[in-house]
Every structure is written in C-alpha cells, then in structure tokens.
Amino acid sequence: MSRMSRHGDLNHRKVPAYGPPHAYAQPVLRILDAKTGETVPAVSARRALTRVQAHASGYDLTALRVLLTSDLLLRALELGGTPVLPLLTADRHQAELHAAATTLGIRPFEDGRDLAAGLGEAQVVHVAATGLAVPGTGVTVAVAPADGSDAAVLHTLADPAALRLALLDAPRGAAVHLGAGALDAAGRRLGRLRQSVAHWARSPSRPVPEKVRGRLRDAWEDDLDVPAVLGVLRWMENQPEIPDGARFETCAYADRLLALDLVRDIGRAP
C-alpha cells in the first residue's frame, strides 16, 4: 500500500496510524501551578470539558508565547483524552492576537470573558505571562517573557513556523531573547528536519517504537516540557536500530503536539 493511500492527502494533514496505544492506562499531564508553586495534575477529571484560557495584556512576543503555550496545552490535553475549549481574554489588540494565532498555527480561540462565565463548573487552566494576576479558580500556567523583536515580525517571515520553533525551543519558565539571526537559525533547523521527514517517508511505514512513544509522552506530560520533546526527536535520529519508516511516523505523531508541519515537504523535489 502506498504512503499516500494509507495516510490520505498529506497536504491536508490527515493523522497517520501510529500503532497500539501507549501502555499508560491513564496519561496524566502534570503542570507547575504558578499560584501554589506545586506540580499538580493539569485537570482533575481527565475526560471533563476543560477551558484553556489565555490572558494577553498586549501585543508583543510575550503575548504570542502565551498563546502558543495555550495551544500546546490544549493539544496535550486532547492527546490525553480531555475535551478542550480555548478562550482568549485580552483588553486590547484582540484582532491582532487572533490573526497572529492563525499565522502561528494556533487553534482558533473563542473570546473569553462572557463565554467563560456561561460554562458553569467546567474545569479551567489559565495561561498568562509571569507575574500577571488572573481571577478565578483553576491551575495557572506562567509563561516567561520573550523579546528581541516586535510581534509584527511574524507577518514578515516566509515561514512563520520558524518563530513557533524558536519559542518552543526554550523552557517555558525561561526568558527568551530572539536576537539577530535567531529566527533564521530556527528556519534552517526546521528545514533540515522537514527534509529528513520527507526522506524517511520514502521507506515502508513502521509503527512508532514504544520506547520512543514513551519518551515523548513522558516529556510533554512532565510540565509540558516541549524542549525535551524536541530532544527526543534529535535522539531518535541517532538510533540506528530505528527504521526510517518509524522515524517518519514518530515525527508525524509528535507533530500533533508541535504543529510545525513536519510533513510539508513530502513529495517535493529535493
């Protein structure tokens, strides 16, 4: 069976088959709660509707990092079986923030305050810049600041996913400075990974190895450690016993969280 017939039109990002589920019976995403300083389950009931509420106080790289962290959180929760509703609370720049979210590959947000009030007892996880007080109950995920460029740089990039990768590559609690050349370097790194994925896609498909799947889940369920997820992909490249078809499936699986469009170059001329 050809890869295109198995996976559908990859330009439409159909989800591949990844083999049997991980051995975890109840995957639990644990997150550092900024209100208490303790690491706790992100949600108390795994299959209950949960709103992920992003709080943005402006339109800058820090606000974009808050939106991106919210997107990662909702993707991780969905991968664990939790239904999620993303909300955005912002006093200003709502149009710019919604447009930036779309450009960065972030799931669309509903507008926050009025809708959130009508959701009753739905679980909530707040995502906000470090030091920003948020009202109400629920876990609060703090996001360290990002600077070094104006948020408008997003709309000048040939591939906005380069900014997504640059922001993903640092621990959420560490400040990010995107100095000169940082986005170019992220773009080159993303291009190399996509080329590798395109090369691996030429081989017969193989399931994601359980040890690799376990490392990925351990990383993102441990306080949403996305740099560690990226590290697993780098580690996998140097494991000669992993077939190329399994490398492809692993990257496609991880991209359900990363949303870097890693399969984009499949079928393109080298």
Side-chain angles (χ1 to χ4, degrees):
M1 180 181 295
S2 72
R3 187 173 301 280
M4 289 302 294
S5 63
R6 175 177 174 181
H7 293 285
D9 181 357
L10 284 168
N11 290 330
H12 288 83
R13 303 182 67 183
K14 295 294 182 64
V15 176
Y18 300 111
H22 191 267
Y24 300 159
Q26 295 271 324
V28 176
L29 171 62
R30 297 183 63 82
I31 206 84
L32 179 64
D33 185 356
K35 288 182 178 178
T36 65
E38 297 180 355
T39 300
V40 298
V43 294
S44 56
R46 188 166 63 95
R47 296 195 180 277
L49 176 64
T50 300
R51 71 177 193 261
V52 173
Q53 190 154 0
H55 299 263
S57 58
Y59 179 59
D60 54 19
L61 284 184
T62 299
L64 297 189
R65 197 179 188 195
V66 167
L67 301 188
L68 178 56
T69 300
S70 301
D71 185 59
L72 293 167
L73 179 60
L74 77 87
R75 290 172 184 273
L77 288 171
E78 286 180 342
L79 283 165
T82 300
V84 180
L85 176 65
L87 303 179
L88 172 62
T89 298
D91 293 330
R92 299 173 292 126
H93 304 295
Q94 288 197 8
E96 293 92 337
L97 290 167
H98 281 289
T102 299
T103 303
L104 270 177
I106 292 170
R107 303 276 186 86
F109 290 96
E110 301 287 348
D111 286 319
R113 288 200 172 104
D114 293 339
L115 184 57
L119 290 177
E121 297 301 316
Q123 301 177 115
V124 59
V125 182
H126 300 278
V127 183
T130 300
L132 181 67
V134 297
T137 60
V139 173
T140 296
V141 178
V143 180
D147 63 18
S149 184
D150 189 273
V153 71
L154 173 64
H155 302 289
T156 70
L157 298 173
D159 185 358
L163 176 57
R164 186 176 177 107
L165 177 58
L167 292 174
L168 290 179
D169 207 23
R172 185 182 68 250
V176 172
H177 179 76
L178 297 182
L183 294 179
D184 289 340
R188 290 191 296 271
R189 179 178 166 195
L190 181 57
R192 288 192 295 270
L193 181 54
R194 285 172 173 165
Q195 288 173 6
S196 294
V197 171
H199 171 73
W200 298 330
R202 300 189 186 109
S203 298
S205 180
R206 294 290 185 270
V208 179
E210 275 301 300
K211 67 177 181 179
V212 180
R213 185 193 301 272
R215 283 174 178 255
L216 290 171
R217 296 301 293 253
D218 287 346
W220 77 58
E221 289 169 7
D222 181 13
D223 198 28
L224 205 60
D225 190 351
V226 179
V229 172
L230 293 167
V232 171
L233 298 186
R234 291 192 294 271
W235 166 84
M236 177 196 68
E237 292 188 56
N238 298 314
Q239 304 305 305
E241 74 278 11
I242 298 178
D244 283 353
R247 298 181 203 272
F248 165 78
E249 295 287 3
T250 297
C251 289
Y253 174 65
D255 209 34
R256 296 172 67 185
L257 177 78
L258 301 173
L260 293 170
D261 204 6
L262 296 180
V263 302
R264 190 191 72 174
D265 289 346
I266 293 177
R268 296 188 180 187

